[in-house]
mmCIF file of all heavy atoms in Angstrom:
data_model
loop_
_atom_site.group_PDB
_atom_site.id
_atom_site.type_symbol
_atom_site.label_atom_id
_atom_site.label_comp_id
_atom_site.label_asym_id
_atom_site.label_seq_id
_atom_site.Cartn_x
_atom_site.Cartn_y
_atom_site.Cartn_z
ATOM 1 N N ALA T 2 2.135 1.129 -0.208
ATOM 2 C CA ALA T 2 2.996 2.299 -0.180
ATOM 3 C C ALA T 2 2.955 3.031 -1.489
ATOM 4 O O ALA T 2 2.725 2.470 -2.545
ATOM 5 C CB ALA T 2 4.424 1.878 0.126
ATOM 6 N N ILE T 45 -13.447 -4.453 -3.239
ATOM 7 C CA ILE T 45 -13.136 -3.903 -1.913
ATOM 8 C C ILE T 45 -12.313 -4.922 -1.133
ATOM 9 O O ILE T 45 -12.631 -6.118 -1.129
ATOM 10 C CB ILE T 45 -14.426 -3.563 -1.132
ATOM 11 C CG1 ILE T 45 -15.361 -2.688 -1.961
ATOM 12 C CG2 ILE T 45 -14.083 -2.861 0.183
ATOM 13 C CD1 ILE T 45 -16.787 -2.622 -1.436
ATOM 14 N N GLY T 146 -16.709 -20.672 16.874
ATOM 15 C CA GLY T 146 -16.367 -22.088 16.826
ATOM 16 C C GLY T 146 -16.661 -22.841 18.092
ATOM 17 O O GLY T 146 -16.478 -24.069 18.149
ATOM 18 N N GLN T 285 7.697 -7.419 15.381
ATOM 19 C CA GLN T 285 8.167 -8.536 14.571
ATOM 20 C C GLN T 285 7.017 -9.229 13.840
ATOM 21 O O GLN T 285 7.130 -9.570 12.661
ATOM 22 C CB GLN T 285 8.914 -9.541 15.457
ATOM 23 C CG GLN T 285 10.241 -9.037 15.986
ATOM 24 C CD GLN T 285 10.809 -9.937 17.075
ATOM 25 O OE1 GLN T 285 10.165 -10.911 17.505
ATOM 26 N NE2 GLN T 285 12.006 -9.627 17.553
ATOM 27 N N LEU T 327 0.125 0.480 33.558
ATOM 28 C CA LEU T 327 -0.513 -0.761 33.118
ATOM 29 C C LEU T 327 0.411 -1.423 32.101
ATOM 30 O O LEU T 327 0.670 -0.849 31.041
ATOM 31 C CB LEU T 327 -1.868 -0.470 32.471
ATOM 32 C CG LEU T 327 -2.928 0.167 33.362
ATOM 33 C CD1 LEU T 327 -4.128 0.587 32.523
ATOM 34 C CD2 LEU T 327 -3.368 -0.795 34.466
ATOM 35 N N ILE T 377 -27.896 2.896 1.294
ATOM 36 C CA ILE T 377 -27.561 2.852 2.718
ATOM 37 C C ILE T 377 -28.573 3.597 3.582
ATOM 38 O O ILE T 377 -28.644 3.370 4.791
ATOM 39 C CB ILE T 377 -26.139 3.394 2.971
ATOM 40 C CG1 ILE T 377 -25.999 4.829 2.470
ATOM 41 C CG2 ILE T 377 -25.100 2.484 2.334
ATOM 42 C CD1 ILE T 377 -24.657 5.451 2.805
ATOM 43 N N ALA T 379 -31.565 3.056 3.730
ATOM 44 C CA ALA T 379 -32.590 2.103 4.158
ATOM 45 C C ALA T 379 -32.076 1.114 5.191
ATOM 46 O O ALA T 379 -32.832 0.249 5.643
ATOM 47 C CB ALA T 379 -33.113 1.339 2.939
ATOM 48 N N VAL T 406 -18.263 5.878 23.286
ATOM 49 C CA VAL T 406 -17.405 4.739 23.608
ATOM 50 C C VAL T 406 -18.052 4.027 24.793
ATOM 51 O O VAL T 406 -18.401 4.668 25.787
ATOM 52 C CB VAL T 406 -15.977 5.180 23.991
ATOM 53 C CG1 VAL T 406 -15.120 3.963 24.354
ATOM 54 C CG2 VAL T 406 -15.333 5.965 22.855
ATOM 55 N N GLU T 416 -11.512 -16.291 41.077
ATOM 56 C CA GLU T 416 -10.406 -15.345 41.047
ATOM 57 C C GLU T 416 -9.619 -15.526 39.754
ATOM 58 O O GLU T 416 -9.750 -16.540 39.061
ATOM 59 C CB GLU T 416 -9.469 -15.524 42.249
ATOM 60 C CG GLU T 416 -8.722 -16.834 42.292
ATOM 61 C CD GLU T 416 -9.436 -17.937 43.047
ATOM 62 O OE1 GLU T 416 -10.102 -17.633 44.053
ATOM 63 O OE2 GLU T 416 -9.345 -19.101 42.601
ATOM 64 N N GLY T 426 -13.569 -11.231 40.777
ATOM 65 C CA GLY T 426 -14.033 -10.025 40.102
ATOM 66 C C GLY T 426 -13.019 -9.324 39.240
ATOM 67 O O GLY T 426 -13.342 -8.344 38.567
ATOM 68 N N PRO T 432 1.626 -8.884 33.914
ATOM 69 C CA PRO T 432 2.500 -9.560 34.868
ATOM 70 C C PRO T 432 2.408 -8.909 36.252
ATOM 71 O O PRO T 432 1.805 -7.842 36.412
ATOM 72 C CB PRO T 432 3.891 -9.337 34.262
ATOM 73 C CG PRO T 432 3.766 -8.007 33.585
ATOM 74 C CD PRO T 432 2.366 -7.968 33.027
ATOM 75 N N CYS T 434 0.817 -9.373 39.001
ATOM 76 C CA CYS T 434 -0.477 -9.137 39.660
ATOM 77 C C CYS T 434 -1.027 -7.731 39.410
ATOM 78 O O CYS T 434 -1.710 -7.158 40.274
ATOM 79 C CB CYS T 434 -0.367 -9.390 41.166
ATOM 80 S SG CYS T 434 -0.518 -11.136 41.611
#
Side-chain angles (χ1 to χ4, degrees):
I45 308 164
Q285 291 168 355
L327 297 171
I377 58 175
V406 179
E416 66 269 324
C434 277

